[in-house]
C-alpha cells in the first residue's frame, strides 16, 4: 500500500502505510506545506519507527499538537519512545 499525504485546510491528511519504504517519498511533499495545525491519521493502515520519526518531526517543526487517528503500531511506538498523543516527549 502506497502512502500519501495531502493538505486539506489546516490538516495534513495521511493514508496508506507510514513505514520505512514510504518515508523517503513523503519528505519532499512535506517541505511545501504551510499553515498546518493538525494531522489526520484516520486512513493510515500502520506506522513503523520511521513513520513515527517523520510524524514527530513534522509535529515539532510546525508546532502541531492535534493528531487524530490510531493506526496499528502507533500506540506501541509512542509508549516505547515516551511520546504523548501530540508526538512530543512526555514529561
Amino acid at each position: 500500500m502506497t502512502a500519501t499525504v495531502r493538505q486539506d485546510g489546516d490538516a495534513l491528511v495521511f493514508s496508506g502505510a507510514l513505514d520505512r519504504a514510504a518515508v523517503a517519498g513523503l519528505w519532499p511533499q512535506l517541505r511545501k506545506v504551510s499553515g498546518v495545525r493538525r494531522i489526520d491519521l484516520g486512513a493510515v493502515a500502520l506506522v513503523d519507527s520511521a513513520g513515527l520519526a517523520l510524524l514527530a518531526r513534522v509535529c515539532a517543526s510546525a508546532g502541531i499538537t492535534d493528531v487524530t487517528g490510531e493506526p496499528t503500531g502507533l500506540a506501541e511506538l509512542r509508549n516505547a519512545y515516551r511520546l504523548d498523543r501530540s508526538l512530543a516527549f512526555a514529561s
Side-chain angles (χ1 to χ4, degrees):
M1 177 183 282
T2 303
T4 63
V5 62
R6 65 182 170 79
Q7 187 168 350
D8 184 8
D10 69 346
L12 280 179
V13 181
F14 288 86
S15 65
L18 295 181
D19 58 14
R20 184 175 58 89
V23 165
L26 293 176
W27 275 118
Q29 298 172 56
L30 293 169
R31 289 188 193 127
K32 304 174 197 172
V33 300
S34 64
V36 175
R37 294 191 219 205
R38 56 193 181 92
I39 290 182
D40 181 347
L41 301 176
V44 172
L46 67 95
V47 175
D48 73 3
S49 59
L52 178 66
L54 176 133
L55 293 170
R57 175 71 174 131
V58 169
C59 287
S61 65
I64 296 170
T65 58
D66 184 9
V67 179
T68 60
E70 195 71 33
T72 300
L74 182 61
E76 295 84 355
L77 288 168
R78 266 198 330 252
N79 289 335
Y81 291 103
R82 297 180 340 221
L83 302 176
D84 62 22
R85 294 192 73 72
S86 67
L87 303 181
F89 284 104
S91 51

